[in-house]
Amino acid sequence: MDLKLPPIDYAALAPILVLFGASCLGILVEAILPRARRHLAQLVLGLLAVVGALVAVVLNAHDRLVTAGSAVAIDGPTLFLQGAILVLGGMGLLLIGERSVQRGGEFVAHAAVTVGSPEDQRQAADEGGATEVYPLTLFAISGMLLFVAANDLLTMFIALEVFSLPLYLLCALARRRRLLSQEAALKYFLLGSYASAFFLFGMALVYGFTVGAGGTTSGGGVDFGTIRTAVTDSDASEVLLFAGLALLSIGLLFKIAAAPFHVWTPDVYQGAPTPITGFMAACTKVAAFGGLLRVLHVAFSGASWDFTPVLGGIAVLTMLVGAILAVTQTDIKRLLAYSSVANAGYLLVGALAISKDGLSSTMFYLVAYGFTVLAAFGVVTLVRDADGEATHLSRWAGLGRRSPLLAGLFTFLLLAFAGIPLTSGFTSKFAVFGAALDAGQSWLVIAGVLTSMILAFPYLRVVVMMWLSEPGESTPTVSLPGGLTTTALAIGVLATLVLGVAPAPLLDLANGAAEFVR
Amino acid sequence: MSDFPFLSVLTVAPLVGALVVVFLPASRGELAKRIALGWSLLVLVLSVFMWIAFEAGGDRLQLRESYSWIPRWGVNFTFAADGIALVMLMLIALLVPLVILASWHDAEKSKRSVPVYFALLLFLECTMIGVFAAADVFLFYVFFEVMLVPMYFLIGSYGGHQRQYAAVKFFLYSLVGGLFMLAAVIGLWVVGGKTFDWQALTQIDISTGTERWLFLGFFLAFAIKAPFFPFHTWLPDAGGAAPAGSAALLVGVMDKVGTFGILRYCLPLFPEASKWFAPYAIALALIGIIYAALLAVGQNDLKRLVSYTSIAHFGFIGVGIFAFTTQAGTGAVLYMVNHGLATGLLFLVVGMFVARRGSALITDFGGAGKLVPVLAGVLFFAGLASLALPGTAPFISEFLVLIGTYTVNKPVAIIATAGIILAAAYVLWMVQRTTQGTLNPALSGVEGMRRDMSVREKVVVAPLIALLLLLGFYPKPVTDVINPAVQATMEQDLGKQDPAPTVGTVQEAHR
């Protein structure tokens, strides 16, 4: 039998390889170094890996190629989104690494330790939380990097699992509110597995469609080039195609938290340790949309007339559900979760504009939103009392009096979420709405505008809580952020401001990158 | 001289002042006030020079500056002013120092940071100047929305009774309008070929259906802002809860953005749709005149009463704009200025009463004129100016609106005239219940009511009274600036010619 290995361009894959290598190294560090020194070593290793991979992305900036057979495509969107994931992931690592806000860190040392038990006290005193979180995070990031580069469905599926499994684990590691955290992880794991199964089944159906379309000459395939040709040229029955695309979409829409596949979001966002929530809200969204964009714009663009109305309906539903349910929330993490659902809807509006503008505006939105949401969750980690984070909204009353600077920053972030000009929230909304209107999707824009109005209310409620209410007995103290959290917060807030005031450089970058290799 | 970048400097200057003031420690309240006042006076001086540099009979848009901002979207920092914008800019520059002076002790009462209060006022001035100076639709929208933020905190943090509710209601109403406008702005950008330049956008052709939708998007935002009936319900709450100085700016200037927006954006950009919607807009304006005046008569809260009178006055401005004659249009713009002066004065004086009495309820006053005769006199004057007594500036504008409307639409003018009678009712009755009659015994026990106007307060009201009288007798300097801009809007943009005046011949007169 004649098996030839496909040529592999290792340089182009360098960012992914660097991070995979670093994650494996992280496991070795766990095994070799004494416990006391792991935290610092892991953090430094993680940050170095992220920076190294970022350098590799920058060096590859002009690559436009398909490598490893046709499994991986390194092109503009890949590099742009990889860069975004690395920057946001680095910020996430900073939040995860913070240990001065809470003695012993956010993470439990062993899964069975309960709050306040002697083991827990010991963790606070000297031991520190689990350091496995670092290799897990790095694995998740590397999976995301591969996910946005995947050029066939199989690679995509593997990447999906590589970044999902560590996230399931990370969700369960909260040191406070253990039960919520474990429940969140289990929910996320079960529903995520279903979604993966749907994805896999969809892949099988699409493969069947390409076989049918190719006839006897070429056979089938699951790489995007083959699917693309089959979708455009074939006159075979489209039942397999549509069923396959629908199932694939369910898998992806689950990850981006689009309604009606969003139900895990509030629970998981609330239960997971807050730095992990921020990391998921920013990076998972970038990765999942990266995959979705490639699937829609490359593989199935020939069927865009057929899927746009359906996915458009889902986008409207997502925006509505996110906005309306956000109004009723009383927990800041759940509120941000529903806001993230609604934002998935706005992103879908951009993604459904099958054009260069649609692609570039969605990528811009992803970056802008990622910075803001990470900074927002960074603030949430700081508002706490003796029992850990005080996430109930009523506890935030009068926070503006107690710590005006932090409340001011959070207000700015909320204004960005609400889409007030001079924040990145406005420019990014403008970008996706403009692209959608240009592509003739005015109904999506109108739905987006209407839901923005609803969504402004919950944000405003938090602002009112912080500034206009008098501080009560139970207003928590704000912990002094450590250097790591401060850095992450500063980056997030500055990016939100800069992308709102001077978005031109990033817009140009996104626009220059907005071309898939096909 | 006219090469000096007046508009951008005017926009940025208050922002710089706000940044200086906001970083002062909370204990340095006095210093913050002085800096804020000095800074706003500097802006006033600069805008006087701008007024001089502006050529009344020259180009429609003058003092134009343009700097690139987001080239990919065709967004520029383009500033330019026509006569309408110019008079509004002057009004802002004049009112802000007076408001700062009038609010000298407002911030202390709220137990919140004094420097922040004055920084917010300066930041508000920056956004208000920006919104009138912008000649790029995107830039206009940015200022239009950002303007909400300082006002939100002024009402919410420093306001009186029910301030939270009022602040949120104000913000949400304005944001809803703003988001409709955002959709329309994006739509305009797409059909206009990816440009935001106002002059370029006036030249494009839009299909009738699209034009009407876009008009509605803009109009809704402006109608909420102005506010026109039935989008007015936020104003009495916001005006009632805001500190008096902020309320004067809110009603005196910020709401004019609505009517200014209609004149600058709706009419020139969507002329056909404007004509099509004009009857509906006039109907809303007429309802506003009568309905708000009736509600004003029934108010027992001084600040809410003044807010309702403003809604009625915005009805007059709306009628003047949508009558589509130069006379009525000039009257409407002049009304915007005069209303800013008269209502600004009224709000400030009412604020002085409220500060003394600690209550805004009319029933808590009564015979106050016996205790504070000078202040009561000023209230009476402000009331008379507000009801457009001949000799005060608002009379000219109201008269222009009515005769300009009468030439094209008699019934509308006649119905609107009924508003004048109601205005007399609510103003005089308010003045009577507050300052005339027997002295309310509870009033003489209030410490503050024994002090008549201080020098500071006299300095605040004197320029406004002087201007109201001056413009009442000699409005020409202002109308000379406004008239060409309005004429250009009506004739070039809308293609409306004023009906020729019909002069009765001598023979007819003898017959």
Side-chain angles (χ1 to χ4, degrees):
Chain A
M1 194 162 161
D2 182 27
L3 270 180
K4 249 198 291 180
L5 280 176
I8 295 177
D9 186 339
Y10 288 100
L13 294 180
I16 305 172
L17 296 177
V18 166
L19 267 176
F20 269 121
S23 347
C24 297
L25 215 59
I27 294 174
L28 281 183
V29 170
E30 278 306 298
I32 296 168
L33 276 191
R35 188 179 282 276
R37 290 162 62 187
R38 282 184 209 158
H39 170 65
L40 186 66
Q42 291 282 22
L43 185 61
V44 171
L45 175 66
L47 288 176
L48 279 181
V50 166
V51 171
L54 200 58
V55 170
V57 167
V58 173
L59 289 179
N60 286 345
H62 298 291
D63 281 4
R64 300 288 184 267
L65 51 92
V66 175
T67 183
S70 56
V72 177
I74 305 294
D75 53 12
T78 302
L79 291 163
F80 184 90
L81 293 172
Q82 282 185 339
I85 290 170
L86 287 167
V87 172
L88 296 172
M91 278 172 69
L93 269 178
L94 292 178
L95 287 181
I96 291 169
E98 178 65 72
R99 280 197 172 177
S100 66
V101 171
Q102 181 182 12
R103 284 193 61 84
E106 287 284 340
F107 297 92
V108 73
H110 313 284
V113 173
T114 47
V115 179
S117 63
E119 288 87 352
D120 186 53
Q121 305 285 346
R122 207 172 67 227
Q123 177 179 352
D126 52 27
E127 195 178 340
T131 42
E132 291 90 340
V133 291
Y134 299 101
L136 284 173
T137 312
L138 291 188
F139 267 122
I141 296 179
S142 40
M144 291 170 185
L145 294 187
L146 180 59
F147 191 72
V148 294
N151 197 41
D152 71 35
L153 290 173
L154 265 174
T155 315
M156 197 170 232
F157 178 74
I158 290 166
L160 180 75
E161 292 306 305
V162 170
F163 87 72
S164 296
L165 287 170
L167 284 180
Y168 301 145
L169 278 174
L170 286 169
C171 284
L173 290 178
R175 190 166 147 218
R176 308 283 173 183
R177 304 203 177 90
R178 302 277 306 131
L179 279 180
L180 264 186
S181 170
Q182 287 170 357
E183 180 193 328
L186 190 65
K187 263 186 193 161
Y188 194 22
F189 172 65
L190 283 179
L191 291 176
S193 311
Y194 274 122
S196 298
F198 275 115
F199 188 88
L200 209 53
F201 194 20
M203 192 192 323
L205 294 185
V206 170
Y207 178 74
F209 170 72
T210 57
V211 171
T216 49
T217 49
S218 66
V222 287
D223 67 290
F224 293 160
T226 311
I227 298 173
R228 185 183 166 78
T229 330
V231 171
T232 10
D233 300 343
S234 152
D235 46 3
S237 157
E238 290 173 326
V239 177
L240 279 179
L241 168 67
F242 291 145
L245 178 57
L247 294 175
L248 281 180
S249 306
I250 289 177
L252 292 170
L253 291 174
F254 173 84
K255 280 290 163 204
I256 67 169
F261 315 107
H262 69 284
V263 282
W264 59 275
T265 320
D267 291 342
V268 173
Y269 275 34
Q270 185 187 16
T274 308
I276 298 300
T277 313
F279 174 68
M280 284 200 305
C283 296
T284 311
K285 217 149 231 151
V286 177
F289 263 100
L292 185 74
L293 281 169
R294 196 175 287 277
V295 167
L296 295 184
H297 285 238
V298 178
F300 294 95
S301 65
S304 68
W305 280 100
D306 301 300
F307 69 69
T308 314
V310 181
L311 287 180
I314 285 182
V316 173
L317 188 69
T318 307
M319 292 187 280
L320 270 179
V321 166
I324 292 174
L325 291 182
V327 174
T328 63
Q329 298 309 309
T330 53
D331 184 285
I332 186 75
K333 283 171 87 177
R334 289 182 81 85
L335 194 158
L336 288 175
Y338 278 109
S339 133
S340 137
V341 171
N343 274 290
Y346 300 131
L347 279 160
L348 264 181
V349 170
L352 285 178
I354 308 290
S355 64
K356 194 175 155 78
D357 277 349
L359 179 57
S360 70
S361 64
T362 312
M363 296 198 299
F364 179 79
Y365 197 119
L366 283 168
V367 175
Y369 176 72
F371 278 118
T372 314
V373 83
L374 258 173
F377 278 110
V379 173
V380 173
T381 61
L382 296 178
V383 182
R384 52 196 319 138
D385 56 17
D387 297 332
E389 289 161 6
T391 54
H392 198 276
L393 268 186
S394 61
R395 307 285 310 278
W396 286 49
L399 201 69
R401 299 285 190 82
R402 290 278 170 88
S403 37
L405 180 66
L406 193 84
L409 290 183
F410 198 63
T411 306
F412 177 70
L413 296 173
L414 288 172
L415 290 178
F417 282 133
I420 301 293
L422 302 186
T423 66
S424 64
F426 171 67
T427 43
S428 48
K429 276 210 179 73
F430 184 90
V432 292
F433 289 168
L437 212 55
D438 214 14
Q441 308 278 9
S442 43
W443 62 296
L444 289 180
V445 176
I446 290 168
V449 166
L450 288 174
T451 51
S452 301
M453 294 172 194
I454 305 174
L455 202 53
F457 182 69
Y459 300 140
L460 207 57
R461 215 162 45 123
V462 182
V463 176
V464 170
M465 271 289 173
M466 290 194 300
W467 293 101
L468 310 188
S469 301
E470 302 298 320
E473 284 289 305
S474 61
T475 301
T477 55
V478 170
S479 306
L480 214 58
L484 297 176
T485 309
T486 312
T487 315
L489 262 181
I491 297 174
V493 171
L494 268 183
T496 305
L497 179 69
V498 168
L499 294 182
V501 175
L506 188 69
L507 274 176
D508 288 341
L509 190 65
N511 206 62
E515 190 84 55
F516 285 112
V517 291
R518 300 209 156 96
Chain B
M1 175 100 169
S2 58
D3 295 338
F4 185 78
F6 277 110
L7 293 170
S8 53
V9 171
L10 270 182
T11 310
V12 175
L15 182 66
V16 177
L19 287 177
V20 170
V21 172
V22 81
F23 285 114
L24 289 175
S27 54
R28 307 297 302 274
E30 272 313 303
L31 183 66
K33 293 172 188 175
R34 280 163 211 276
I35 294 180
L37 181 64
W39 212 285
S40 59
L41 284 173
L42 212 67
V43 172
L44 176 61
V45 171
L46 194 62
S47 41
V48 170
F49 281 112
M50 177 182 70
W51 179 280
I52 297 168
F54 190 90
E55 293 167 43
D59 293 339
R60 181 175 182 182
L61 284 177
Q62 296 182 29
L63 307 166
R64 186 184 165 88
E65 308 164 47
S66 194
Y67 316 98
S68 178
W69 183 9
I70 311 173
R72 183 155 299 284
W73 292 341
V75 176
N76 295 303
F77 286 106
T78 307
F79 295 103
D82 56 4
I84 306 172
L86 185 77
V87 292
M88 292 312 296
L89 291 173
M90 280 307 292
L91 181 67
I92 297 168
L94 177 75
L95 274 182
V96 171
L98 297 179
V99 162
I100 288 177
L101 199 57
S103 318
W104 209 251
H105 299 301
D106 277 9
E108 277 97 342
K109 273 181 242 146
S110 67
K111 289 176 273 170
R112 290 178 190 240
S113 164
V114 176
V116 171
Y117 181 82
F118 289 93
L120 283 172
L121 278 178
L122 284 177
F123 182 44
L124 183 66
E125 184 178 22
C126 155
T127 56
M128 290 191 305
I129 290 180
V131 86
F132 286 106
D136 180 284
V137 181
F138 189 92
L139 189 64
F140 172 80
Y141 179 79
V142 166
F143 282 118
F144 187 84
E145 287 285 63
V146 173
M147 199 165 58
L148 300 181
V149 178
M151 187 48 96
Y152 169 77
F153 283 107
L154 281 173
I155 299 175
S157 295
Y158 299 92
H161 185 56
Q162 279 215 319
R163 55 198 165 84
Q164 290 190 18
Y165 169 77
V168 171
K169 192 170 176 182
F170 159 76
F171 197 94
L172 283 182
Y173 261 75
S174 305
L175 192 69
V176 165
L179 284 169
F180 275 115
M181 187 162 104
L182 175 63
V185 165
I186 299 175
L188 183 67
W189 177 65
V190 169
V191 297
K194 307 282 171 79
T195 177
F196 281 110
D197 186 69
W198 182 82
Q199 268 165 330
L201 285 172
T202 51
Q203 309 298 327
I204 57 168
D205 286 321
I206 316 174
S207 70
T208 313
T210 317
E211 189 185 335
R212 283 182 192 164
W213 282 113
L214 295 180
F215 173 90
L216 270 185
F218 276 87
F219 181 76
L220 203 60
F222 296 143
I224 290 176
K225 197 74 165 181
F228 288 156
F229 176 88
F231 311 108
H232 64 279
T233 57
W234 63 269
L235 184 63
D237 290 320
S246 312
L249 286 182
L250 173 74
V251 179
V253 178
M254 222 169 131
D255 291 352
K256 306 296 191 316
V257 176
T259 46
F260 171 79
I262 293 175
L263 272 169
R264 170 64 84 73
Y265 295 95
C266 285
L267 266 49
L269 297 182
F270 319 112
E272 295 310 315
S274 300
K275 285 181 210 161
W276 198 77
F277 280 107
Y280 304 101
I282 288 184
L284 289 185
L286 276 184
I287 296 174
I289 293 176
I290 305 295
Y291 178 71
L294 287 174
L295 286 179
V297 174
Q299 288 306 309
N300 187 30
D301 181 306
L302 282 170
K303 282 154 94 181
R304 289 180 71 89
L305 188 147
V306 180
S307 305
Y308 275 114
T309 67
S310 299
I311 299 169
H313 291 155
F314 279 112
F316 275 106
I317 300 176
V319 168
I321 292 172
F322 282 99
F324 296 145
T325 61
T326 309
Q327 217 166 23
T330 308
V333 178
L334 195 59
Y335 212 132
M336 284 157 59
V337 179
N338 293 338
H339 175 262
L341 297 173
T343 308
L345 177 64
L346 198 53
F347 253 122
L348 293 176
V349 177
V350 162
M352 291 169 193
F353 269 104
V354 175
R356 284 173 166 73
R357 181 68 178 90
S359 158
L361 297 182
I362 294 179
T363 42
D364 283 344
F365 293 91
K370 296 193 173 56
L371 293 173
V372 282
V374 181
L375 188 57
V378 176
L379 179 72
F380 187 53
F381 177 82
L384 290 183
S386 198
L387 69 78
L389 189 79
T392 61
F395 169 72
I396 312 261
S397 41
E398 202 160 289
F399 190 68
L400 276 175
V401 166
L402 288 176
I403 55 172
T405 310
Y406 190 81
T407 53
V408 288
N409 197 338
K410 292 190 178 64
V412 169
I414 292 167
I415 297 173
T417 312
I420 301 181
I421 301 161
L422 286 170
Y426 58 67
V427 167
L428 293 178
W429 202 38
M430 180 269 284
V431 170
Q432 188 190 354
R433 284 185 296 165
T434 315
T435 61
Q436 308 297 310
T438 51
L439 180 64
N440 183 347
L443 208 56
S444 48
V446 179
E447 173 65 30
M449 290 303 291
R450 300 211 194 96
R451 280 181 292 109
D452 207 340
M453 292 186 92
S454 65
V455 177
R456 174 179 63 84
E457 289 171 329
K458 283 177 184 156
V459 171
V460 170
V461 297
L464 290 173
I465 296 178
L467 268 175
L468 281 169
L469 287 173
L470 181 74
L471 293 179
F473 286 102
Y474 189 63
K476 193 164 177 301
V478 179
T479 46
D480 277 354
V481 174
I482 297 172
N483 209 24
V486 173
Q487 202 165 3
T489 308
M490 298 303 168
E491 289 176 6
Q492 292 171 20
D493 300 337
L494 287 171
K496 287 270 186 187
Q497 295 294 330
D498 288 349
T502 47
V503 183
T505 57
V506 179
Q507 276 182 339
E508 275 175 312
H510 278 290
R511 215 175 280 158

